[in-house]
Amino acid sequence: MNPRVRLVGRGPVLAAATAVLRDAASGHGQFLMISGEAGIGKTAVLAELTDRAGPDWTVLRGVCWDRPGAPPYWPWAQVLRATCVPPADLGEARRLVEPPATDGHGTAMDPGAAADAEFSVFEAVGQCLSALAAERPILVVLDDLHWADAASLRLLGFLARALAGSRLVLAGAYRDTEASDDLLAVSATAQHLRLGGLGAEQVRELVTSIVGPDGSELGDQVWERSGGNPFFVGELARLMVAQGTPDQRPPIPAGIAETLRRRLARLSTDCIHVLERVAVAGGEVDTELLVRIGAAGNEIELNSLLDEARRAGVVAGEHERPRLAHDLYRETILGSLGAMTRTEIDLALGLALQERPGSAARVAAHLLAAGSRVRRKAVEYSVLAAREASARLGHDDACGHYRRALKMIDAEGADVPWDPSRGALLVELADAHARAGRGDEARTHYLAAAVSARTADDAIVLARAALGLESLGQRSGAHRADLLDLLEEAAARLEAVDGSLSLQSRVYGARARMLRHGSIAVPDETVAAAAERAVELAAAAGDSQALAEARLAQHDSQWTPGTARRRLPLIDAMLDAATAAHDADLVAQAHQLRAAALLELGDPTGRDELLTYITLAERLGHARGRWGALTRRATFAQLAGHADEAARLGEEALELGLAIGVPDAIGCFCTSRWALVALGVPEPPSDLDPADPLWPMFPLLKAWPLAVRGELDAAADALGDFSVLDVAVWTGLEGLAAAAVVFSAIGTTAQRVWTYDRLRPYAGTDVVVGGCASYHAAVDHHLGTLAAALGDTDSAEKHFQSALALHERLGAAGWARITEQELAALASSVASDNEFRPTNGIWQLAYDGVHVQLPDSKGLGDLAVLIGAQGNDVHVSTLVGSEVPHTGGDPVLDATARAQYKARLADLAEQLDQADAYGDAVRAEKLSAERDALVHELSAATGLGGRARRLGDETERARKTVSARVRDTLTKLDQSHPALAAHLRASVQLGTTCTYSPTHPTTWRLS
């Protein structure tokens, strides 16, 4: 049927389609999808749309194919070829038209690079079409999308999202009854025109246009039987006329297949013989192949038979490459074929196609259909087809080929030797799943491969499975004991395998990296030993690639705070090996690690190294490199104080990282965002999975931005009873930096001292997270805030001055500004009227803007000593002027009573020590109150600590003396300075040892 004839009744559809062309011509790219059942007129609408585009448009066509042998991205390969752009100018898109050659064995693509490669191809196709559309409007027509492979649909969806501002129309058609979920998802984003059946009047018009004036009498009959399907209408109308019963209601066949069989019956037996082979070949085939499989005696005879089919309207297409006019013909022909005939044709096609490069998928499909006689050959070509699909980035197709190969192996039985082995195929299937972005399925098949490898005692496959599992990645800080065990087992088994030194090196290197970057503490010598072994094996193998990876493992084995200077020579060695191996990814990573080490040391050349890494990462040409460049651009912007730019880049990187499956995309985003909070950027979402390695730090992370913004009550509520033992030290200095920010604002004295003591060894360096994932200021800045909170203004000033010099040296403008603010605040507090000092026998007391003078008293002297102790405990004997407590006199209790009192007080003392160590001020206060009450009740008979009370006990007398005179002083202070009295009452704890520990940092002039 002439396609234009079938456009009867399609006026509204064509009007909408024409509007799409008009909008796109004005620079508003459009995505149009036309759906409906087979024969409804979808192709005709696309043809009319092409005509209406006219000579001002470039039209690019692609048609999908439903046979398993169709290569990945087949419709897009047709489109790209139609552009007439030389393959060399297509960039990564050339993979779709000229796939990389394979040696029949293939090389497994790094699963982590699979999504990157696909993204690069998609981007290259988009750039090609955009460039063409800049010259003149482009109409891309894709027909039969219900047969499109998943990769082609992903590319269609990718391009559809990038249409804005272009003169490009994507127009597709598909059978909605056969559409996959992926196709429906893509179509949901398009302008959608669904073609339904024609009405009775329209069918009458269509029939008349086909068979002449007599068609009006057939119209109602055809409409009732056809449901208004234009193709069925035309075929039924012609059949009725051919049967010579235009004025009667003949029996309508059960389905359109019967109609087509009647039409095919008019062809000669030899012609049907040719068409059967065309149908089995997929509906389209070249004449040379038809001759080779015996469709006709020679090419002249074949062309004569094809001409017969053309005249009957069954065959269309170019003379050298005939195709069936409609797939319904193919279905009808295949339905009439006997099983034996079909098998013989498939076998002939499979054998004939073996000599054609790039035809492995078609060969495998035909050999599979040919049955058990050629099953081994079918396995071989299924594997080859999978590798060819991977080379074309058709990872979904590759998975299908591997699954079919494994199914055939399992059907044949385990006693039949296959090459490659079942375990090796499982690894390749897992690799394909990983490249396709299906990590869970990849993990399942890697584990199955490991089981198979153990059964077959195949150390190579076991090692490949273990490395595959490690390559899937994991959240920073995660601990995978099972995977570590598997790597250790693989290393042990490989020692007996000749020629496996490079693989052994990779296994040892992977294990070293996992040990270092996990959340479980592992002895440094254990990690270092694994890395050293990796280096030895790579050097023995003479493999530069393996050596570069081993040097990376060696670097990571020593990657702890304070080791930057020691790591630099290892990075240089890694760079040399990576350069020798021509591995651009590892070369870029070496510059990234060097940047991190130099910045940690406060060396400004680290900025240049970071920019070098960014440039190299962008040149890698894959999405993972682009993600690395984006995240580190965010760090560079943050370092320079451009907070808004850093936040924008971080969000772009997060979106890209999630799209390509970077395991630590969220972690990298969050560490960058948390650092940016200090520069005024909102914090990242506070939700955290309990399975996340950072879960114990969740209260600290929630309190972090609140503390920065000065929302201290909210920060305290968020922090709760957080213990310093839950600070994640495996994060390097990042966790300690976060603790410093929070504890400086709302922490206890014990928490501040604990954090200060752990940061102090790294003074003079900077907090750089991972490979420059973020920058958290100079360590001295955090030491300064802690010292200020502890009341040590002299130390705080020194730390802040050092931090300011480091920030200015690195060009960290934002952090330099923050450090200057801290210095100003410190100077302000020192210069304030907060005083507690004697002058000529008179105490000058100033607090909260109120100044009073009091006469000298021992209670004021005790308070001054406690304030000057900066949160440390002071024994009452010191306050009364006795350095060593003395006891004397006779005991007043028997031994049994003393033992009971001693046990209870010892228990209280132990609990108090624990509370102090964990910084639990509330619990410590309760325990102190219980201890003091017990001591008070038993003071008449028992001394402190369960010792027999002796007459004249100096410690007890000193405690009572100090308590009495401090309380007396505070009572007097209530009258002259109630605010100061209240502050001291809340901040001073009295007992055998006394402490001044204010809730918020308070500085004093004491002399």
Side-chain angles (χ1 to χ4, degrees):
M1 183 189 299
N2 186 325
R4 305 304 184 271
V5 172
R6 281 185 275 160
L7 290 175
V8 171
R10 300 305 189 196
V13 170
L14 291 173
T18 303
V20 164
L21 292 176
R22 185 170 56 251
D23 291 343
S26 63
H28 302 285
Q30 300 292 308
F31 181 26
L32 175 67
M33 291 289 268
I34 302 169
S35 68
E37 63 178 323
I40 204 68
K42 304 180 295 296
T43 300
V45 171
L46 289 179
E48 179 64 20
L49 184 64
T50 298
D51 282 356
R52 295 193 179 193
D56 293 333
W57 285 69
T58 297
V59 179
L60 308 174
R61 297 179 180 85
V63 180
C64 303
W65 197 28
D66 70 325
R67 289 305 299 264
Y73 300 102
W74 173 239
W76 292 106
Q78 299 170 62
V79 167
L80 289 175
R81 288 175 181 142
T83 64
C84 298
V85 175
D89 295 339
L90 290 174
E92 285 297 306
R94 69 182 183 279
R95 288 175 175 264
L96 306 189
V97 294
E98 289 185 359
T102 66
D103 59 5
H105 299 287
T107 300
M109 182 181 292
D110 178 13
D116 307 346
E118 183 177 81
F119 182 92
S120 298
V121 170
F122 287 8
E123 195 169 38
V125 174
Q127 290 172 352
C128 175
L129 294 177
S130 296
L132 292 173
E135 299 175 3
R136 57 187 299 178
I138 301 294
L139 171 61
V140 177
V141 176
L142 302 172
D143 208 357
D144 293 331
L145 282 171
H146 46 279
W147 292 326
D149 57 290
S152 291
L153 294 177
R154 286 197 297 273
L155 177 50
L156 176 59
F158 177 92
L159 295 175
R161 289 192 293 271
L163 285 171
S166 70
R167 296 190 297 169
L168 175 63
V169 173
L170 298 176
Y174 65 93
R175 296 180 188 174
D176 49 9
T177 57
E178 300 178 31
S180 66
D181 291 342
D182 289 343
L183 175 54
L184 293 175
V186 172
S187 182
T189 66
Q191 295 187 50
H192 189 195
L193 300 176
R194 187 185 186 283
L195 303 184
L198 303 176
E201 186 62 33
Q202 294 168 331
V203 169
R204 282 194 292 271
E205 180 183 353
L206 179 55
V207 173
T208 299
S209 69
I210 294 171
V211 303
D214 293 338
S216 60
E217 299 178 11
L218 299 175
D220 289 342
Q221 297 180 45
V222 174
W223 178 71
E224 290 176 2
R225 298 295 184 176
S226 69
N229 182 297
F231 176 76
F232 292 173
V233 167
E235 294 303 303
L236 291 173
R238 287 193 179 90
L239 179 62
M240 290 178 182
V241 172
Q243 289 179 333
T245 58
D247 57 345
Q248 298 179 13
R249 182 184 176 90
I252 303 297
I256 196 64
E258 180 61 27
T259 301
L260 295 177
R261 277 195 293 270
R262 287 174 179 270
R263 190 166 185 180
L264 289 169
R266 298 199 300 270
L267 299 174
S268 67
T269 302
D270 288 342
C271 184
I272 293 297
H273 182 79
V274 172
L275 295 179
E276 287 173 347
R277 280 138 186 83
V278 175
V280 175
E284 182 177 3
V285 67
D286 60 85
T287 54
E288 189 268 338
L289 182 60
L290 286 173
V291 171
R292 289 191 60 192
I293 64 173
N298 53 55
E299 188 172 349
I300 295 174
E301 180 183 345
L302 175 64
N303 287 332
S304 176
L305 295 170
L306 289 172
D307 286 341
E308 178 186 350
R310 281 193 177 88
R311 288 191 296 270
V314 178
V315 166
E318 299 175 1
H319 189 75
E320 295 80 9
R321 193 168 184 83
R323 60 177 173 81
L324 296 174
H326 195 284
D327 192 64
L328 289 174
Y329 284 116
R330 177 172 175 266
E331 294 175 12
T332 303
I333 294 169
L334 293 178
S336 64
L337 274 178
M340 185 63 70
T341 303
R342 174 71 184 269
T343 297
E344 292 300 328
I345 297 174
D346 272 313
L347 179 58
L349 283 165
L351 295 175
L353 286 167
Q354 289 183 36
E355 299 179 9
R356 295 193 172 186
S359 298
R362 295 181 66 188
V363 173
H366 288 301
L367 293 181
L368 282 169
S372 59
R373 287 182 297 171
V374 288
R375 180 170 288 155
R376 184 183 180 92
K377 205 71 172 175
V379 171
E380 176 186 338
Y381 274 91
S382 291
V383 174
L384 183 57
R387 290 169 179 167
E388 285 185 355
S390 292
R392 291 176 177 267
L393 305 182
H395 307 304
D396 297 295
D397 283 352
C399 290
H401 291 304
Y402 282 125
R403 281 194 296 265
R404 283 187 285 274
L406 287 164
K407 185 176 181 180
M408 283 184 287
I409 289 178
D410 293 339
E412 191 70 16
D415 57 330
V416 179
W418 292 96
D419 186 18
S421 69
R422 188 179 192 281
L425 287 185
L426 283 169
V427 170
E428 292 193 41
L429 173 58
D431 289 343
H433 277 304
R435 290 190 291 266
R438 293 188 290 269
D440 290 342
E441 293 185 54
R443 184 171 289 103
T444 297
H445 288 98
Y446 280 132
L447 291 172
V451 172
S452 177
R454 288 192 181 101
T455 303
D457 194 22
D458 191 333
I460 298 293
V461 169
L462 186 68
R464 290 178 59 197
L467 289 170
L469 286 166
E470 191 269 339
S471 72
L472 293 177
Q474 57 199 21
R475 173 75 167 90
S476 291
H479 180 66
R480 290 287 307 280
D482 56 339
L483 183 51
L484 285 168
D485 291 343
L486 184 60
L487 288 166
E488 186 173 359
E489 178 186 356
R493 288 176 178 259
L494 282 173
E495 290 182 0
V497 179
D498 292 337
S500 66
L501 294 181
S502 293
L503 191 56
Q504 289 184 58
S505 175
R506 292 183 61 204
V507 170
Y508 274 101
R511 188 166 184 272
R513 291 193 299 273
M514 286 195 66
L515 288 171
R516 171 54 66 212
H517 297 303
S519 59
I520 304 299
V522 178
D524 290 344
E525 55 270 21
T526 301
V527 184
E532 290 292 340
R533 183 62 175 153
V535 172
E536 293 171 3
L537 290 166
D543 187 335
S544 297
Q545 177 73 36
L547 183 59
E549 294 183 19
R551 292 296 187 189
L552 171 60
Q554 191 178 38
H555 166 273
D556 285 8
S557 72
Q558 300 190 29
W559 200 351
T560 56
T563 62
R565 201 171 302 282
R566 191 165 72 243
R567 297 197 314 267
L568 283 170
L570 299 176
I571 296 170
D572 291 339
M574 173 190 168
L575 180 58
D576 290 343
T579 302
H582 305 290
D583 190 317
D585 287 86
L586 284 175
V587 167
Q589 190 173 4
H591 284 283
Q592 176 190 20
L593 296 175
R594 181 185 281 167
L598 291 172
L599 290 174
E600 182 181 331
L601 292 170
D603 189 333
T605 60
R607 291 168 57 98
D608 299 330
E609 282 292 318
L610 184 56
L611 288 175
T612 298
Y613 165 73
I614 292 169
T615 300
L616 293 175
E618 288 174 337
R619 291 176 181 172
L620 291 175
H622 54 64
R624 189 174 289 267
R626 185 182 174 197
W627 176 81
L630 274 174
T631 54
R632 275 53 186 184
R633 277 194 182 281
T635 301
F636 192 88
Q638 178 214 9
L639 188 65
H642 305 313
D644 291 340
E645 181 185 359
R648 177 182 58 79
L649 291 168
E651 289 167 358
E652 290 180 16
L654 176 63
E655 182 179 359
L656 176 59
L658 293 176
I660 64 176
V662 177
D664 216 21
I666 294 178
C668 189
F669 169 76
C670 287
T671 189
S672 175
R673 233 347 138 75
W674 276 321
L676 287 171
V677 168
L679 302 179
V681 175
E683 65 271 21
S686 59
D687 294 334
L688 199 64
D689 190 325
D692 193 287
L694 283 177
W695 174 254
M697 276 189 66
F698 192 33
L700 186 72
L701 298 178
K702 287 179 64 178
W704 189 351
L706 298 170
V708 170
R709 292 193 292 266
E711 302 172 25
L712 302 186
D713 290 339
D717 289 341
L719 187 64
D721 295 329
F722 179 79
S723 168
V724 293
L725 297 183
D726 286 329
V727 174
V729 293
W730 55 264
T731 62
L733 297 182
E734 181 183 16
L736 291 172
V741 172
V742 175
F743 294 158
S744 294
I746 59 170
T748 64
T749 297
Q751 288 172 329
R752 293 164 181 165
V753 170
W754 182 91
T755 308
Y756 184 91
D757 289 344
R758 279 152 184 80
L759 280 174
R760 184 68 183 83
Y762 308 111
T765 66
D766 292 78
V767 182
V768 181
V769 179
C772 301
S774 68
Y775 174 77
H776 282 274
V779 172
D780 277 288
H781 177 89
H782 300 296
L783 289 170
T785 61
L786 290 166
L790 290 168
D792 186 352
T793 55
D794 290 340
S795 294
E797 182 178 6
K798 292 176 182 177
H799 285 309
F800 283 138
Q801 292 291 358
S802 176
L804 182 59
L806 280 168
H807 291 157
E808 290 177 342
R809 188 180 183 204
L810 286 180
W815 279 106
R817 172 176 50 81
I818 294 172
T819 303
E820 287 175 340
Q821 292 171 352
E822 292 286 356
L823 273 169
L826 184 67
S828 176
S829 67
V830 171
S832 70
D833 291 332
N834 285 1
E835 294 183 83
F836 211 108
R837 60 193 182 93
T839 303
N840 298 323
I842 300 297
W843 283 85
Q844 309 294 329
L845 307 180
Y847 179 77
D848 198 23
V850 177
H851 179 271
V852 298
Q853 294 181 339
L854 290 180
D856 188 19
S857 71
K858 292 183 177 180
L860 289 172
D862 294 337
L863 289 171
V865 171
L866 294 179
I867 292 172
Q870 300 179 4
N872 295 312
D873 291 340
V874 179
H875 198 277
V876 290
S877 297
T878 300
L879 294 174
V880 297
S882 176
E883 293 299 328
V884 181
H886 298 288
T887 60
D890 298 322
V892 295
L893 284 179
D894 60 31
T896 300
R898 287 197 304 273
Q900 292 174 345
Y901 296 140
K902 181 177 181 180
R904 178 54 185 157
L905 288 171
D907 181 57
L908 286 173
E910 182 178 353
Q911 293 184 51
L912 273 167
D913 289 341
Q914 292 177 352
D916 289 337
Y918 284 81
D920 192 340
V922 175
R923 183 163 174 256
E925 185 176 354
K926 291 180 180 178
L927 292 170
S928 295
E930 180 183 351
R931 182 195 62 184
D932 291 346
L934 181 59
V935 170
H936 178 74
E937 290 179 10
L938 301 178
S939 60
T942 307
L944 292 177
R947 297 184 296 273
R949 185 170 185 269
R950 300 178 181 276
L951 297 175
D953 187 295
E954 294 182 8
T955 298
E956 180 61 15
R957 283 201 300 270
R959 184 191 67 78
K960 289 182 178 181
T961 298
V962 170
S963 297
R965 63 198 194 190
V966 168
R967 291 192 179 100
D968 180 63
T969 297
L970 293 178
T971 299
K972 294 178 180 178
L973 198 55
D974 281 331
Q975 305 301 318
S976 58
H977 201 326
L980 176 57
H983 169 74
L984 293 173
R985 228 178 238 108
S987 304
V988 172
Q989 290 82 43
L990 298 174
T992 303
T993 58
C994 306
T995 310
Y996 170 72
S997 181
T999 304
H1000 302 302
T1002 306
T1003 56
W1004 297 89
R1005 292 183 62 196
L1006 299 176
S1007 59

